[in-house]
Amino acid sequence: MRTLGIGDVARRSGLAVSALHFYERRGLIRSIRTAGNQRRYAQDVLRRLAVIRVAQRVGVSLDAIGRAFAALPDERTPTRAEWARMSAAWRSELDAKIRDLQHLRDQLTDCIGCGCLSLRRCRLNNPDDALGEQGDGPRRWEAEP
């Protein structure tokens, strides 16, 4: 099995060594140690790192990526079919995030129009005037240090 040093993986993946350490601590990638205690990575780690970067870019959490990777056999590149299963599993999560962002965008337009964000019935800052029951003024910020 051909292995790569951490510097090679960092250079080829475009990631910082600290990011590789972070992903390894999270269990998303694995290394083996040499007799001199140096990290060595199987070449398939480059594909896994590419999947991580793409998934994060579209908003998939590291926890969701980790769950998907847990279903894959170790030390081999995910196949096209495995990638299709992973992306299908993330689709509903991404669709929900898109709906939430669209809703926030639509509500934000009203706030920009009023220019205030402290209105009694602000749809973003105080939906349905939930804070109005506590009295007038900036209730949310009173408890902050």
Side-chain angles (χ1 to χ4, degrees), residues 50-121:
V51 169
I52 292 168
R53 291 184 80 175
V54 168
Q56 282 189 293
R57 184 172 180 163
V58 298
V60 177
S61 71
L62 288 178
D63 288 337
I65 296 167
R67 286 190 299 274
F69 280 3
L72 297 176
D74 288 337
E75 300 196 20
R76 82 163 166 72
T77 301
T79 65
R80 181 178 294 274
E82 289 166 337
W83 170 249
R85 279 193 299 277
M86 283 189 283
S87 62
W90 297 331
R91 186 175 183 86
S92 63
E93 179 183 336
L94 294 173
D95 286 344
K97 285 181 181 183
I98 289 168
R99 282 190 304 275
D100 289 346
L101 286 171
Q102 287 173 331
H103 179 73
L104 285 171
R105 178 205 57 210
D106 294 344
Q107 300 303 314
L108 185 61
T109 300
D110 290 342
C111 287
I112 290 172
C114 78
C116 180
L117 284 181
S118 65
L119 290 177
R120 187 178 287 272
R121 296 182 329 176

